[in-house]
Amino acid sequence: MKASKTRYLRGLAALVALSLVATACGGDSGDGDLNAQAAACEPGQVDGDLSFYNWAEYIDPDLITAFEAEYGIDVEYTEYESNESMLAQVEAGGAVYDLVVPSDYMVDTMRQEDLLVEINRAAVPNAVNVGAPFENPPYDPEGKFSLPYQWGTTGIGVSYAALESLGMEDAPSWGMIFDPEMSSAFAGRISMLDDAPEAISAALKYLGYSIVDVIESNNEAAVMEAGALLKATNERLAKYDSVNFGDDLVNGEVDIAHGWSGGFFLSFDEADAWEDYAYVIPVEGGVRWVDNMSIPKTAVAVCSAHTMMDFLLDAERGAQLTNWTFYASPNEAATPFITEDIIGDPAIYPPPEVEANLELIPNQGELALVFQDQFTQAKG
Amino acid sequence: MTSTIAPEDHSPEEAPAVAHEGLEARAAVAERRRGFLLGLPAMVYLTLLFVLPFFIVGVYSFATRSATGSTRLSDWNIDSYVKLFDPLVVGIVWRSFWIASLTTVICLVVAYPFAYYIATRSRAARNVLLVFVMIPFWSNFLIRTYAWRFLLGSDGPIAQASEALGLGTIRVLFTPVAVAIGLIYGFLPFMILPLYAAIERMDWRLVEAARDLYADGWTAFRKVTLPLTKSGILAGSLLVFVPSFGAYVTPEILGGAKTVMLGSYVVRQFQQARNWPFGSALSIVIMIIMLVALIARQRSGAREL
């Protein structure tokens, strides 16, 4: 009996060792092949069905249908709710994703962790349509791993009635969420994004910090201060939500919601509630972000992914994307095709003096854990 | 192993007995082998899908999280286990514990009289009542939990009724109360069924004997019925407590991501915080707590469900 138990344990140990080796090596095999595969792609070439992993409600479904019809392949379109959950899926391997849409700081993280395939710009002729401010961004200095998809801001969606009662029609402030006195009238009717970097950044802005400074100087104390503020705010919140924040606002579940510009506009548009609700960027400043198309190392149909990027960077299709999502387009050639309402909306294309107050959230690096822990603690 | 039945070591006069013993031993070996073969599929299944993953999770719990968040299988350390004593983690464990305990106690209080009622009906009525207990299982748990979101929501019937009655607005959704309601609703059948089995199996003559000896109803219940159905109480409590303690779906949907419980916190380590070693350590600890509970139950002598 003892002998067989030892043999069993020995066999088990061998299996464990084997599987660990397999997990450790799994990610590395064939990386070079993918870069080579990408380098060999021709414009308009497809090499199999495309698995497109994107944020929730972030593309006009007609664009997918049009792509499928034009290139004769199927697009398997799946959605995620945060950069981190997308990263976890890509990192775990196993599933095939040919094209993902990471935000600025997440491109930086994925690039540094060798999770992205080098983009072959020769296979994406429409890449020339990308506006100068989006070329060689700080999160991808050589522009090798990403092409911009959409950009926008993070601020507050609020009913005009609430704005009026707060007296904030002209100067909206993060105080409507974070100031106990201002927001007490809306206790239980406020929501925030279920997203650690966004929630902490909003609190940092209210506290007067620069997000970039805090992260670059590794200012853990400031992040803790923001976490404490979130924790104190928690009792007045109805919930944390990164998907339904716009719908909850127009459905009357909440009066004040922290969220992404286009998400609110999409809900205002669907509910025909433009008259009653506004999206505002607080005077203290907010977050500006750029979402990008990247090819993760889980890709198989690398050329199909290049072709989709090219398809979406086309002038008219880029405009179709923006006309549907209500987010600003990094595609300069698309400008003439974007509706007047969107181009002229200062909440979508902020004027320079507002834009000066907006910050990109950098890769949090060592502070990422502190961001997450402070956020979880606040939610406690 | 077969060397013990080698016959040449023995003197002739013992031969018949030895031969007999040898046969018995051989039969026992054959029996064991048959048992082993029958158990093999289950053993392989458990080894590949439970023991092996458990070991891998165990190994990861000692790994290092790099500055960028990826997991490095080197520089083995116990940092993840030290972090378990962080007040934040202790707080979440404590919340999970009391919500799970509350769920268990309320389930027990509700389920015991009900199981008693079922067990004392006629055979036909019992079967019908048991089907009623099982019916909720026929629809998806996620859908049933979302239904509670509507019921408890600010536009839901409960809120409307309270407003109509002039009790003002009550806010239940996205609170620990909503989570407890969802858990009690979800796990109540797991309490009813083992209690029913225990009560139904009980020898009622013992209760009669107690009454004959002038015990009043309450004393007879306390001294006879309750001890005899202890196995059902323990089994039911375990079946409710264990899944409530690690619950994920219910707190996520009804707690509105605001009342973090252990299950959500573990998922967060993998999906958001990218701290696999810590998530693994948490999982290991939860599993050990569950194992301790199971072993305690075994020790207490309640072996049958």
Side-chain angles (χ1 to χ4, degrees):
Chain A
M1 235 21 236
K2 195 152 197 185
S4 71
K5 197 179 251 173
T6 322
R7 208 179 313 149
Y8 175 75
L9 282 178
R10 208 175 291 155
L12 197 64
L15 264 173
V16 172
L18 209 75
S19 55
L20 283 178
V21 170
T23 11
C25 300
D28 299 335
S29 59
D31 283 2
D33 298 350
L34 280 174
N35 284 339
Q37 210 177 317
C41 289
E42 302 281 339
Q45 187 187 341
V46 288
D47 53 358
D49 291 344
L50 180 77
S51 171
F52 191 174
Y53 195 32
N54 197 353
W55 293 79
E57 301 207 314
Y58 209 20
I59 198 167
D60 180 353
D62 291 346
L63 280 169
I64 302 234
T65 322
F67 180 82
E68 286 177 327
E70 187 167 339
Y71 292 97
I73 58 171
D74 284 334
V75 176
E76 194 197 323
Y77 187 78
T78 44
E79 298 178 339
Y80 53 87
E81 294 170 19
S82 74
N83 279 305
E84 286 74 15
S85 61
M86 178 272 291
L87 175 67
Q89 287 297 109
V90 169
E91 213 173 25
V96 170
Y97 299 113
D98 299 314
L99 191 58
V100 293
V101 185
S103 305
D104 31 70
Y105 72 88
M106 191 46 70
V107 171
D108 200 23
T109 302
M110 294 180 85
R111 171 175 79 83
Q112 286 182 20
E113 287 189 24
D114 195 24
L115 289 170
L116 297 179
V117 177
E118 282 184 35
I119 292 171
N120 169 12
R121 289 198 174 224
V124 192
N126 283 330
V128 296
N129 290 342
V130 171
F134 300 93
E135 285 288 353
N136 307 323
Y139 49 84
D140 183 13
E142 292 169 65
K144 280 200 319 205
F145 299 98
S146 65
L147 282 166
Y149 180 77
Q150 297 269 270
W151 70 273
T153 57
T154 315
I156 300 174
V158 54
S159 64
Y160 279 113
L163 266 188
E164 250 166 64
S165 77
L166 286 161
M168 285 189 188
E169 297 100 316
D170 298 322
S173 156
W174 284 112
M176 70 178 99
I177 293 177
F178 295 119
D179 185 301
E181 279 182 22
M182 288 186 212
S183 60
S184 61
F186 301 96
R189 305 196 49 86
I190 303 172
S191 80
M192 286 195 76
L193 289 174
D194 192 7
D195 186 309
E198 287 283 11
I200 297 273
S201 296
L204 284 173
K205 278 304 205 184
Y206 172 71
L207 292 169
Y209 287 102
S210 147
I211 306 163
V212 175
D213 284 355
V214 165
I215 291 174
E216 279 180 357
S217 63
N218 211 21
N219 188 347
E220 197 172 325
V223 180
M224 308 271 271
E225 195 185 340
L229 177 63
L230 285 176
K231 195 176 171 71
T233 308
N234 193 53
E235 58 173 31
R236 297 190 299 277
L237 297 186
K239 61 171 176 170
Y240 291 92
D241 196 316
S242 301
V243 178
N244 302 313
F245 55 89
D247 290 342
D248 283 338
L249 183 66
V250 295
N251 291 340
E253 285 282 334
V254 298
D255 294 320
I256 297 171
H258 171 224
W260 296 301
S261 49
F264 287 116
F265 295 132
L266 200 55
S267 297
F268 298 170
D269 201 54
E270 276 170 3
D272 199 14
W274 293 97
E275 303 286 309
D276 302 321
Y277 295 94
Y279 167 77
V280 296
I281 297 168
V283 287
E284 295 93 342
V287 169
R288 188 176 89 93
W289 44 260
V290 183
D291 287 340
N292 304 270
M293 298 180 278
S294 291
I295 304 174
K297 291 250 156 117
T298 56
V300 173
V302 174
C303 295
S304 298
H306 278 83
T307 301
M308 177 57 106
M309 290 194 272
D310 191 53
F311 181 85
L312 292 172
L313 283 172
D314 169 79
E316 286 185 49
R317 288 181 194 120
Q320 190 179 341
L321 190 61
T322 282
N323 289 338
W324 192 90
T325 62
F326 295 101
Y327 287 112
S329 181
N331 183 340
E332 223 157 52
T335 313
F337 304 101
I338 296 173
T339 61
E340 290 287 320
D341 287 348
I342 291 179
I343 287 283
D345 191 333
I348 299 178
Y349 285 91
E353 68 273 16
V354 174
E355 210 177 334
N357 242 342
L358 300 172
E359 288 186 281
L360 280 176
I361 304 177
N363 180 0
Q364 299 112 57
E366 293 272 7
L367 280 179
L369 246 195
V370 186
F371 268 68
Q372 289 295 340
D373 275 355
Q374 286 301 312
F375 187 52
T376 314
Q377 191 142 29
K379 281 166 73 172
Chain B
M1 271 195 160
T2 46
S3 67
T4 52
I5 52 162
E8 58 271 13
D9 299 351
H10 302 276
S11 51
E13 60 269 24
E14 280 174 10
V18 168
H20 186 63
E21 235 170 58
L23 271 177
E24 262 187 2
R26 230 170 289 165
V29 169
E31 182 68 28
R32 265 208 299 276
R33 207 166 279 162
R34 243 196 320 275
F36 176 73
L37 278 177
L38 285 172
L40 194 62
M43 293 258 283
V44 170
Y45 175 85
L46 274 177
T47 305
L48 280 180
L49 300 177
F50 177 71
V51 181
L52 185 62
F54 186 79
F55 267 83
I56 295 174
V57 172
V59 169
Y60 267 89
S61 69
F62 295 104
T64 315
R65 179 182 187 268
S66 77
T68 49
S70 59
T71 307
R72 279 208 324 268
L73 291 173
S74 57
D75 301 332
W76 307 101
N77 61 74
I78 57 161
D79 291 359
S80 300
Y81 288 92
V82 173
K83 198 169 180 252
L84 291 169
F85 296 98
D86 191 292
L88 164 65
V89 183
V90 173
I92 290 170
V93 171
W94 173 242
R95 182 187 298 126
S96 304
F97 179 82
W98 79 253
I99 291 182
S101 304
L102 182 74
T103 303
T104 310
V105 169
I106 294 179
C107 276
L108 183 62
V109 170
V110 174
Y112 200 98
F114 188 62
Y116 193 94
Y117 174 79
I118 302 177
T120 50
R121 294 309 98 183
S122 72
R123 180 162 288 279
R126 260 187 262 170
N127 288 337
V128 172
L129 287 169
L130 281 178
V131 168
F132 283 153
V133 173
M134 311 281 258
I135 276 179
F137 287 123
W138 298 353
S139 65
N140 186 293
F141 183 64
L142 207 57
I143 294 171
R144 287 185 280 136
T145 310
Y146 263 104
W148 273 107
R149 194 168 175 155
F150 165 72
L151 289 173
L152 301 173
S154 53
D155 287 338
I158 296 172
Q160 279 174 359
S162 100
E163 251 167 82
L165 291 171
L167 297 173
T169 359
I170 46 167
R171 216 166 262 131
V172 183
L173 192 58
F174 310 138
T175 65
V177 177
V179 176
I181 290 175
L183 290 173
I184 292 163
Y185 164 78
F187 296 130
L188 190 63
F190 294 113
M191 185 65 96
I192 294 176
L193 296 176
L195 279 176
Y196 162 78
I199 298 170
E200 196 251 2
R201 204 170 41 212
M202 204 178 64
D203 188 347
W204 290 97
R205 288 173 304 181
L206 295 170
V207 181
E208 279 168 33
R211 298 305 297 264
D212 284 349
L213 294 169
Y214 298 104
D216 58 32
W218 169 242
T219 312
F221 174 77
R222 202 164 45 86
K223 299 238 169 171
V224 180
T225 315
L226 209 55
L228 284 176
T229 53
K230 200 180 87 182
S231 67
I233 295 173
L234 280 170
S237 302
L238 214 58
L239 284 177
V240 172
F241 183 84
V242 168
S244 305
F245 187 62
Y248 172 65
V249 171
T250 313
E252 279 293 299
I253 294 176
L254 299 176
K258 231 177 82 175
T259 41
V260 183
M261 274 176 78
L262 211 40
S264 314
Y265 193 59
V266 172
V267 172
R268 181 160 277 272
Q269 299 313 315
F270 290 95
Q271 292 262 306
Q272 304 277 334
R274 308 184 59 223
N275 196 341
W276 288 27
F278 182 54
S280 302
L282 274 169
S283 308
I284 293 281
V285 167
I286 295 172
M287 252 185 286
I288 288 172
I289 292 174
M290 305 292 182
L291 272 177
V292 167
L294 281 167
I295 291 166
R297 177 175 160 266
Q298 288 283 337
R299 284 278 165 80
S300 76
R303 273 180 192 84
E304 70 278 55
L305 271 184

